[in-house]
């Protein structure tokens, strides 16, 4: 199928991208286990989950018997077991971050509350999985695994309890009010602890059999805070609390529990040692939480991406059918066939929703895959440090510091042409688990918060666009695809597991890591290289914007504001937070382009994808271009505000200041805004100098490179709107199924 926009013939997208395309884009074309998992989760999502939503189960925030049936469906479909190792009752060997992300994607395609319910169980187990002792891991993982054939038992469900009633823990995880004390410690026996914890907004609490809870020490005989495991049968109070009156995610259970329980000290997650009569937890609560959230936030990010992509089909169907059946609309007429899709804005806005959904999926899945690579390396790193006797965090940091140059060297060697690199050194560094860990960890520490921040924050805003495209229908419960629910739900995804402020705060630190910045430079070169091969992808604009981001970062690091105060500083969120936003826009667009490159390389090898590949590639190329242009524009605006916004405005009598315009520019503008030139020529005349001749004014001093980049960036947007027109053409002609494959 092809058409012509203007004079050029273009290939059009024939059908909505199916599983084969997605498997290539998100790199699980060779993972049969994950493909099966996707099918199995989809049946639950578009079956029992969709039916519950359609029947109005979201009208109540209570945990009802109908909602409870979802847990069985999760067990039977493999959703519960996806987190466990095969020996613990699971079925996927090795790292599971991509698997978890795919589960979240499929469930959130229909309802993110259901996705959250399933993932909260994994979140409860995560502290044990990441930092628990071997015994803790084996015990709780097997309890939580679904019953195997022939077994008659109910799997244990868990909750993760960090957040406390106001004024305690929320964004600030150090504000712990939950307490742990020693109540019994007989000579030679295990100490018994009293744990008091109140939770706020704790997911799965309506049915959880155990809770992993963060508590602070309230006893000189316990050295630090820690996370402890609480069980339903422990002596004391295990009160599930009142359900939270949620307006979102009603297919998950949330409440404010109260615990006051006696537990053995062996429940401290990660174990403890005893030094001079004091219990020393091996990990404080902050260390456990950090290890947990750095992985689980990726799956939350993916939920919002799924919603955006899930909106495409219902919106197309609505737009096309909008005028059918009216007397004035005859079959075969443009209005009958295209409906609202006759209107350019309706198409362009849908292209925007679609490209955002694709870019956020690309970013989220890239982060998930990165953690799949990182997990085994992390274990290797731990082994190496153990054999080297490097045990404390401080000693590890020192060891890493000493290897930084090697890591940068490795990046340079990898970028060098094969014939020109020192092969022996390259191989040595490639096989050094510490070097490889450092590099991947630096990238993952940026990709995870960026995905959580951008996918959910920008995603929630763009989800509103999707809702608006359905008109009044969009904000009713009858809206196909449950779009209004999804819009509201997106705000929770932007909030829980750390709102946007938390992600921006993390990025402030992690994007400043030397090893991340070294990789960023390589990524810019990579985009330039792609731009030279595939100019239509927007890679050129993106490479320029990435360069501008780096320039701005360096500038902010070494500059002060008009009052002499340092610009890049942890406390200066007005500087660091927008810069983190800009970075996230660029990362999402980059991941999208890399996925397109993958599709181009692997698509021809798949018979299903190969059919109609030209149209698919053209469409994805155009979507990438649209997204790259949008991201570059956003990053450019943010960078310009930061570079200029903290400078003092030049005095009007600055001899080099020409009222913002040089005389030549003013002449051109005079025809647009009559009188504009005479307003400023007084200044130019009183200065007696033409700014262009006199050199930079105080406002531009030291930032001429930035100005050049900014001009270059604008010109890099060449063709982006043509790409949007082409993508819109595909959106107006792509075939869609007769009806949505889940109820409304
Ligand atoms: C439905 C639901 C389910 C949840 N499930 C769980 C769960 O299972 N387990 C659990 O432990 N928690 C859970 N939570 C809690 C959730 O993680 C917290 O609500 C979230 O982390 C934010 O904390 P807070 O609400 O106290 O916001 P606050 O800490 O009050 O922050 C409010 C806002 O203030 C600003 N802000 C705060 N601190 C800073 C800062 N340092 N810098 C800049 N700005 C700042 C930000 O804009 C922030 O969004 C859940 C919440 C909901 C609503």
């Amino acid at each position: 199928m092809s058409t012509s926009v203007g004079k050029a013939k273009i290939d059009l997208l024939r059908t909505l991208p199916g599983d084969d395309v997605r498997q290539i884009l998100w790199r699980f074309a060779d993972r049969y286990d994950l493909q099966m998992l996707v099918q199995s989760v989809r049946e639950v999502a578009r079956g029992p989950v969709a039916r519950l939503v359609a029947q109005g189960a979201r009208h109540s925030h209570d945990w009802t018997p109908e909602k409870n049936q979802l847990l069985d469906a999760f067990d039977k479909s493999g959703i519960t077991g996806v987190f466990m190792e095969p020996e613990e009752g699971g079925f996927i060997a090795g790292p599971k971050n991509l698997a978890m992300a795919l589960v979240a994607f499929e469930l959130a395609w229909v309802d993110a509350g259901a996705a959250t319910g399933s993932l909260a169980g994994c979140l409860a187990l995560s502290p044990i999985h990441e930092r628990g002792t071997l015994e803790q891991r084996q015990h709780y993982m097997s309890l939580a695994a679904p019953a195997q054939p022939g077994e008659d038992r109910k799997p244990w469900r868990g909750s993760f309890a960090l957040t406390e009633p106001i004024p305690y823990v929320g964004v600030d995880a150090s504000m712990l009010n939950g307490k742990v004390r020693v109540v019994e410690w007989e000579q030679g026996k295990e100490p018994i602890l009293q744990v008091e914890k109140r939770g706020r907004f704790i997911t799965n609490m309506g049915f959880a059999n155990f809770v992993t809870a963060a508590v602070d020490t309230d006893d000189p005989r316990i050295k630090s805070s820690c996370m402890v495991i609480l069980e339903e049968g422990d002596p004391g109070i295990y009160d599930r609390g009142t359900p939270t009156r949620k307006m979102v995610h009603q297919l998950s259970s949330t409440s404010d529990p109260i615990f006051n329980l006696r537990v053995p000290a062996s429940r401290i997650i990660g174990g403890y040692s005893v030094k001079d009569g004091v219990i020393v937890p091996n990990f404080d609560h902050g260390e456990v939480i950090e290890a947990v959230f750095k992985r689980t936030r990726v799956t939350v990010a993916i939920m919002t991406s799924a919603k955006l992509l899930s909106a495409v089909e219902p919106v197309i169907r609505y737009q096309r059918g909008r005028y059918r059946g009216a007397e004035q609309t005859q079959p075969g007429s443009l209005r009958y066939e295209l409906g609202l899709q006759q209107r350019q804005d309706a198409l362009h806005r849908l292209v925007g929703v679609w490209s955002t959904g694709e870019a956020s999926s690309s970013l989220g899945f890239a982060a998930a895959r990165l953690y799949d690579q990182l997990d085994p390396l992390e274990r290797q790193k731990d082994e190496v440090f153990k054999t080297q006797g490097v045990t404390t965090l401080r000693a590890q940091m020192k060891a890493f510091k000493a290897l930084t140059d090697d890591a940068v060297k490795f990046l340079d060697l990898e970028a060098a042409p094969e014939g020109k690199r020192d092969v022996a050194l390259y191989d040595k560094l490639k096989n050094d688990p510490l070097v490889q860990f450092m590099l991947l960890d630096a990238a993952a520490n940026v990709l995870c918060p960026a995905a959580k921040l951008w996918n959910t924050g920008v995603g929630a805003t763009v989800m509103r666009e999707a809702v608006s495209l359905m008109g009044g229908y969009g904000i009713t419960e009858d809206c196909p695809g449950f779009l209004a629910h999804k819009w509201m739900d997106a705000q929770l995804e932007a909030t829980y597991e750390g709102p946007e402020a938390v992600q921006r705060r993390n990025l402030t630190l992690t994007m400043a890591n030397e090893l991340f910045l070294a990789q960023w430079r390589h990524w810019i070169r990579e985009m330039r290289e792609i731009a030279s091969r595939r100019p239509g992808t927007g890679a050129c604009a993106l490479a320029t914007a990435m360069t501008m981001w780096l320039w701005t970062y360096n500038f902010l690091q070494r500059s002060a504001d008009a009052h002499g105060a340092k610009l890049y500083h942890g406390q200066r969120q007005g500087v660091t937070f927008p810069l983190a936003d800009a970075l996230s826009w660029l990362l999402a667009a980059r991941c999208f382009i890399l996925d397109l490159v993958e599709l181009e390389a692997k698509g021809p090898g798949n018979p299903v994808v190969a059919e109609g590949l030209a149209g698919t590639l053209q469409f994805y190329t155009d979507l990438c271009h649209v997204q790259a242009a949008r991201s570059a524009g956003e990053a450019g605006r943010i960078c310009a505000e930061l570079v200029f916004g903290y400078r003092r405005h030049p005095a009007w009598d600055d001899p080099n200041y020409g009222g913002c315009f040089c005389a030549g520019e003013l002449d051109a503008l005079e025809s647009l805004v009559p009188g504009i030139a005479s307003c400023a020529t007084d200044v130019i005349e009183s200065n007696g100098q033409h700014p262009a001749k006199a050199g930079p004014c105080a406002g531009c001093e030291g930032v001429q490179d930035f100005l050049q980049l900014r001009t270059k960036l604008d010109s890099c947007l060449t063709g982006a709107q043509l790409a949007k027109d082409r993508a819109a053409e595909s959106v107006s002609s792509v075939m869609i199924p007769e009806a949505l494959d889940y109820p409304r």
Side-chain angles (χ1 to χ4, degrees):
M1 194 159 48
S2 71
T3 187
S4 46
V5 171
K7 282 186 185 151
K9 281 254 182 235
I10 59 159
D11 292 299
L12 295 173
L13 182 69
R14 291 188 194 171
T15 53
L16 295 175
D19 283 329
D20 294 274
V21 171
R22 300 260 169 244
Q23 285 160 13
I24 295 175
L25 287 173
W26 303 334
R27 325 293 159 82
F28 64 106
D30 55 352
R31 291 283 305 269
Y32 188 64
D33 53 347
L34 297 186
Q35 293 166 20
M36 289 293 98
L37 176 68
V38 164
Q39 294 307 324
S40 175
V41 181
R42 191 172 294 166
E43 271 181 40
V44 176
R46 303 186 193 190
V49 171
R51 280 197 295 276
L52 271 179
V53 182
Q55 288 158 9
R58 291 188 55 137
H59 291 160
S60 151
H61 45 255
D62 288 323
W63 189 245
T64 61
E66 292 74 36
K67 292 181 193 176
N68 203 54
Q69 284 174 3
L70 282 184
L71 301 179
D72 284 339
F74 291 163
D75 295 346
K76 287 190 188 123
S77 62
I79 293 174
T80 312
V82 76
F83 189 67
M84 285 105 192
E85 297 299 326
E87 59 275 18
E88 295 161 350
F91 53 95
I92 295 178
K96 296 164 189 49
N97 301 284
L98 180 57
M100 303 282 296
L102 288 166
V103 169
F105 184 90
E106 282 303 323
L107 286 173
W109 184 275
V110 177
D111 187 89
T116 294
S118 92
L119 293 172
C122 309
L123 181 64
L125 286 166
S126 284
I128 302 171
H129 184 263
E130 297 306 327
R131 290 292 176 261
T133 61
L134 186 62
E135 297 75 37
Q136 288 169 343
R137 276 211 302 276
Q138 284 172 343
H139 183 65
Y140 289 97
M141 291 292 169
S142 345
L143 279 177
Q148 302 297 310
E151 259 190 312
D152 180 23
R153 72 174 168 82
K154 282 259 168 226
W156 274 33
R157 318 284 177 190
S159 279
F160 171 91
L162 169 65
T163 310
E164 297 178 343
I166 287 172
Y168 301 106
V169 174
V171 164
D172 189 343
S174 66
M175 293 281 294
L176 267 182
N177 184 49
K179 297 282 185 266
V180 56
R181 287 187 296 280
V182 178
V183 282
E184 216 179 284
W185 195 347
E186 285 181 35
Q187 186 76 32
K189 285 199 181 161
E190 170 126 78
I192 303 294
L193 311 175
Q194 187 75 35
V195 178
E196 284 176 41
K197 170 89 182 177
R198 295 172 80 104
R200 178 169 56 115
F201 305 151
I202 304 304
T203 307
N204 280 5
M205 228 22 260
F207 51 83
N209 311 99
F210 72 96
V211 175
T212 44
V215 283
D216 205 355
T217 171
D218 190 30
D219 193 323
R221 286 171 298 171
I222 304 176
K223 173 93 189 299
S224 69
S225 71
C226 60
M227 285 201 77
V228 283
I229 306 165
L230 309 175
E231 292 183 7
E232 200 178 357
D234 288 329
I237 299 168
Y238 187 96
D239 180 346
R240 299 182 184 281
T242 39
T244 308
R245 288 156 55 84
K246 282 180 296 184
M247 296 167 73
V248 293
H249 281 218
Q250 293 93 340
L251 290 196
S252 67
S253 147
T254 317
S255 65
D256 297 358
I258 301 167
F259 307 106
N260 194 348
L261 299 164
R262 282 163 73 96
V263 301
S266 60
R267 298 277 190 80
I268 294 176
I269 294 177
Y272 63 94
S273 57
V274 176
K275 283 198 191 111
D276 304 325
V278 173
I279 295 172
V280 183
N282 288 337
F283 302 101
D284 67 28
H285 84 289
E287 286 168 306
V288 182
I289 288 166
E290 198 196 329
V292 167
F293 279 158
K294 68 196 264 186
R295 288 169 173 82
T296 56
R297 281 173 175 155
V298 173
T299 35
V300 179
I302 273 293
M303 289 189 202
T304 321
S305 322
K307 291 164 180 185
L308 290 168
L309 290 180
S310 80
V312 169
E313 185 188 326
V315 172
I316 293 179
R317 187 173 294 104
Y318 177 77
Q319 292 179 332
R320 295 218 184 129
R322 176 66 179 84
Y323 300 119
R324 281 182 199 167
E327 279 169 29
Q328 306 92 320
T329 309
Q330 298 306 315
S333 69
L334 263 184
R335 185 172 257 211
Y336 183 93
E337 297 304 331
L338 289 175
L340 283 166
Q341 295 205 329
Q342 271 183 299
R343 305 293 165 217
Q344 192 176 49
D345 184 66
L347 291 169
H348 277 193
R349 282 181 195 277
L350 184 54
V351 166
V353 171
W354 197 336
S355 65
T356 310
E358 294 287 352
S360 73
S361 303
S362 295
L363 175 58
F365 284 118
R369 293 194 303 270
L370 193 52
Y371 278 105
D372 275 358
Q373 278 180 279
L374 190 66
D375 282 355
L377 267 177
E378 187 165 25
R379 303 210 192 291
Q380 265 182 285
K381 176 252 323 174
D382 290 341
E383 283 302 311
V384 173
F385 277 150
K386 207 163 143 192
T387 51
Q388 291 176 352
V390 180
T391 49
T392 63
L393 206 59
R394 181 182 285 225
Q396 290 192 4
M397 300 299 281
K398 208 170 149 197
F400 280 141
K401 187 132 192 61
L403 285 170
T404 303
D405 287 349
D406 280 353
V408 174
K409 181 84 200 154
F410 172 77
L411 290 175
D412 292 340
L413 287 169
E414 192 162 60
E418 272 184 42
K420 291 197 174 162
R421 63 167 80 119
D422 177 341
V423 182
L425 181 59
Y426 175 74
D427 287 345
K428 177 174 166 271
L429 296 176
K430 195 175 170 61
N431 293 313
D432 184 332
L434 293 184
V435 167
Q436 294 305 318
F437 172 81
M438 286 167 75
L439 287 169
L440 284 193
D441 194 47
N445 285 337
V446 169
L447 250 63
C448 172
K452 173 73 165 64
L453 170 65
W454 194 83
N455 288 15
T456 63
V458 172
T461 307
V462 177
M463 199 59 217
R464 193 203 67 81
E465 281 281 296
V467 170
S468 78
L469 291 175
M470 302 288 272
Y473 217 5
I475 39 176
T476 68
E477 286 178 11
D478 298 327
C479 178
F482 314 132
L483 298 194
H485 286 312
K486 287 174 180 168
W487 172 32
M488 282 283 279
D489 284 355
Q491 181 52 40
L492 176 58
E493 287 130 44
T495 299
Y496 73 170
E497 292 204 26
E500 287 146 287
V502 174
Q503 314 311 321
R504 291 180 175 122
R505 208 174 49 184
N506 281 0
L507 282 166
T508 300
L509 294 173
T510 58
M511 69 192 184
N513 180 336
E514 204 179 321
L515 290 185
F516 169 71
L517 292 168
Q519 291 180 77
W520 185 252
R521 287 187 196 95
H522 284 282
W523 294 352
I524 294 174
R525 282 197 283 272
E526 174 192 46
M527 269 308 127
R528 278 258 163 266
E529 190 271 324
I530 292 174
S532 62
R533 275 189 293 120
R534 298 280 282 107
T537 54
C540 177
L542 194 62
T544 306
M546 289 167 78
T547 311
M548 177 185 281
W549 182 91
L550 186 61
W551 191 96
T552 306
Y553 169 82
N554 287 333
F555 172 81
L556 296 170
Q557 279 284 6
R558 59 167 198 268
S559 307
D561 68 11
H563 309 293
K566 192 170 165 19
L567 280 175
Y568 198 99
H569 188 282
Q571 301 304 322
R572 196 137 199 194
Q573 297 178 343
V575 173
T576 55
F577 279 22
L579 201 62
D581 287 341
L583 178 73
S584 307
W585 275 95
L586 300 176
L587 282 169
R590 168 181 181 265
C591 290
F592 190 15
I593 290 176
L594 293 181
D595 283 358
L596 166 69
V597 171
E598 180 78 5
L599 183 65
E600 195 174 30
K602 304 275 168 66
N606 178 314
V608 179
V609 179
E611 209 189 317
L613 184 61
T616 310
L617 283 179
Q618 180 64 57
F619 177 67
Y620 269 98
T621 302
D622 290 331
L623 276 196
C624 278
H625 200 163
V626 168
Q627 192 58 33
R630 172 88 176 87
S631 307
E634 197 65 24
R637 174 189 65 76
I638 293 172
C639 290
E641 281 177 8
L642 293 176
V643 168
F644 290 102
Y646 287 98
R647 316 192 116 204
R648 200 187 300 282
H649 197 283
W652 284 93
D653 57 2
D654 180 334
N656 288 334
Y657 188 56
C660 296
F661 296 105
C662 75
E665 287 165 334
L666 280 172
D667 288 345
L669 288 176
E670 183 66 27
S671 62
L672 190 66
V673 187
I676 193 172
S678 58
C679 292
T681 36
D682 290 350
V683 179
I684 294 173
E685 277 162 11
S686 71
N687 289 345
Q689 276 181 309
H690 189 284
K693 283 184 193 154
C697 70
C700 302
E701 184 78 55
V703 294
Q704 292 92 328
D705 290 347
F706 181 84
L707 290 170
Q708 257 183 12
L709 274 171
R710 189 97 175 102
T711 310
K712 164 96 181 101
L713 184 62
D714 285 352
S715 65
C716 281
L717 302 182
T718 307
Q721 288 298 108
L722 292 174
K724 193 181 269 187
D725 281 350
R726 280 192 301 269
E729 184 78 12
S730 266
V731 169
S732 72
S733 63
V734 65
M735 276 188 285
I736 59 167
E738 277 299 306
L740 205 59
D741 68 352
Y742 56 96
R744 57 175 180 139

